[in-house]
């Protein structure tokens, strides 16, 4: 299920930089989003997208964009992991450029709540409901020690017993390639357990736990809502994913439909 989570992440990271235009898929050096600090050694799934694109091109060449493939793959990843489906709106086209500097707009694991809210507002997403719902994608997938080692033994909003477990996983702190599940209870299932973890101070990343531990914030009752109703979470997540997929798409004669997702035509 790690690959399913990685495919959602590709779509998410793509859409936060100049909109949902598959710019994250373009090969290159540090002049492309793929090799920016926000994605280097962490973004995965490019070979899966290549395989999907190859299969699609062999059937209907020049019709389905790489941007649409990312949106569909994200939806199907959720469904395969036990979540509900939604209708993916299609018609996106692919960019001819990449914007590595724009990757600073991507929410980071170390962001506090105010920074997360600012980044969501910047792309036209709601900074409370959409933020909490889309963060729920961390109900599956994994994270490297570098993204949370700073919380071990220091964060006051991290359950001490859980902190001790994480210390065993990351004995060298951030200086390791080790990783662990974002949801330590049901790591391979798309469910609402992510929010129950936050209620128990078992959010792995600072960006996750801040949704519940930040004082006097409007995200806390939303976390409580989703923790008590998986149906509510699923329904809201689907609507938020549709909104995410509609961030600044290229349509009409703008952009192109790449034959190979890694390079422009």
């Amino acid at each position: 299920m790690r690959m399913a989570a990685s495919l959602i992440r590709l779509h998410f990271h793509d859409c936060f930089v100049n909109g949902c235009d598959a710019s994250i898929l373009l090969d290159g050096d540090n002049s492309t989003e793929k090799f920016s600090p926000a994605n280097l050694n962490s973004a995965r799934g490019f070979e899966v997208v290549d395989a999907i694109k190859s299969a699609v091109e062999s059937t209907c060449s020049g019709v389905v964009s790489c941007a649409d493939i990312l949106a569909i793959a994200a939806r199907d990843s959720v469904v395969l992991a036990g979540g509900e489906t939604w209708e993916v709106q299609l018609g996106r086209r692919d960019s001819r450029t990449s914007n590595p500097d724009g990757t600073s707009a991507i929410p980071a694991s170390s962001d506090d709540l105010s920074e997360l809210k600012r980044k969501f507002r910047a792309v036209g997403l709601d900074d409370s409901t959409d933020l909490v719902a889309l963060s729920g994608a961390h109900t599956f997938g994994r994270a490297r020690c570098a993204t949370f080692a700073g919380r071990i033994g220091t964060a006051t909003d991290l359950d001490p017993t859980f902190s001790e477990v994480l210390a065993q996983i990351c004995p060298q702190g951030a200086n390791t390639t080790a990783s662990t599940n974002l949801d330590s209870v049901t790591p391979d299932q798309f469910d609402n357990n992510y929010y129950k973890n936050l209620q128990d101070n078992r959010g792995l990343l600072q960006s996750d736990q801040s949704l519940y531990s930040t004082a006097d914030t409007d995200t806390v009752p939303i976390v409580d809502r989703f923790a008590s109703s998986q149906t509510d979470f699923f329904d809201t997540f689907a609507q938020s994913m549709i909104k995410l997929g509609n961030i600044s798409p290229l349509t009409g004669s703008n952009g192109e439909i790449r034959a190979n997702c890694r390079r422009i035509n």
Side-chain angles (χ1 to χ4, degrees), residues 60-222:
C60 50
S61 178
V63 176
V64 182
S65 69
C66 301
D68 276 352
I69 287 174
L70 283 179
I72 295 168
R75 189 270 315 275
D76 290 355
S77 294
V78 170
V79 174
L80 289 172
E84 291 187 0
T85 189
W86 62 88
E87 182 177 353
V88 176
Q89 297 174 332
L90 304 175
R92 304 168 190 80
R93 289 168 65 84
D94 302 321
S95 69
R96 296 188 178 96
T97 59
S98 188
N99 180 16
D101 292 337
T103 57
S104 61
I106 299 171
S109 60
S110 59
D111 284 347
D112 61 20
L113 185 60
S114 63
E115 182 67 357
L116 292 172
K117 282 177 167 287
R118 184 190 67 79
K119 289 180 176 180
F120 268 65
R121 288 194 303 269
V123 295
L125 293 173
D126 180 83
D127 68 359
S128 54
T129 302
D130 288 334
L131 170 57
V132 178
L134 292 175
S135 296
H138 284 173
T139 188
F140 65 170
R142 296 176 67 84
R144 295 172 299 150
C145 290
T147 62
F148 61 85
R151 286 171 51 74
I152 300 173
T154 61
T156 58
D157 59 356
L158 184 64
D159 175 74
T161 301
F162 187 44
S163 182
E164 292 175 2
V165 171
L166 297 178
Q168 295 296 317
I169 296 171
C170 307
Q172 301 175 33
N175 299 318
T176 178
T177 58
S179 64
T180 193
N181 296 313
L182 285 161
D183 176 359
S184 59
V185 181
T186 55
D188 296 324
Q189 185 73 23
F190 194 91
D191 57 21
N192 67 335
N193 204 77
Y194 164 83
Y195 301 104
K196 298 175 184 178
N197 289 338
L198 300 187
Q199 290 176 322
D200 294 334
N201 283 347
R202 294 173 67 90
L204 185 65
L205 309 178
Q206 175 179 312
S207 56
D208 290 329
Q209 192 60 50
S210 69
L211 301 177
Y212 200 72
S213 296
T214 305
D216 302 319
T217 181
D218 56 359
T219 57
V220 172
I222 303 172

Side-chain angles (χ1 to χ4, degrees), residues 125 129-131 133-134 235-245:
L125 293 173
T129 302
D130 288 334
L131 170 57
L134 292 175
D235 291 344
T236 308
F237 181 82
Q239 293 305 310
S240 294
M241 284 296 291
I242 291 171
K243 290 175 66 176
L244 173 71

Side-chain angles (χ1 to χ4, degrees), residues 14 17 19 21-26 33-34 95 97-99 258:
D14 180 48
V17 183
D21 60 2
S23 53
I24 193 174
L25 301 178
L26 289 171
E33 294 167 34
K34 182 182 289 187
S95 69
T97 59
S98 188
N99 180 16
R258 292 184 212 139

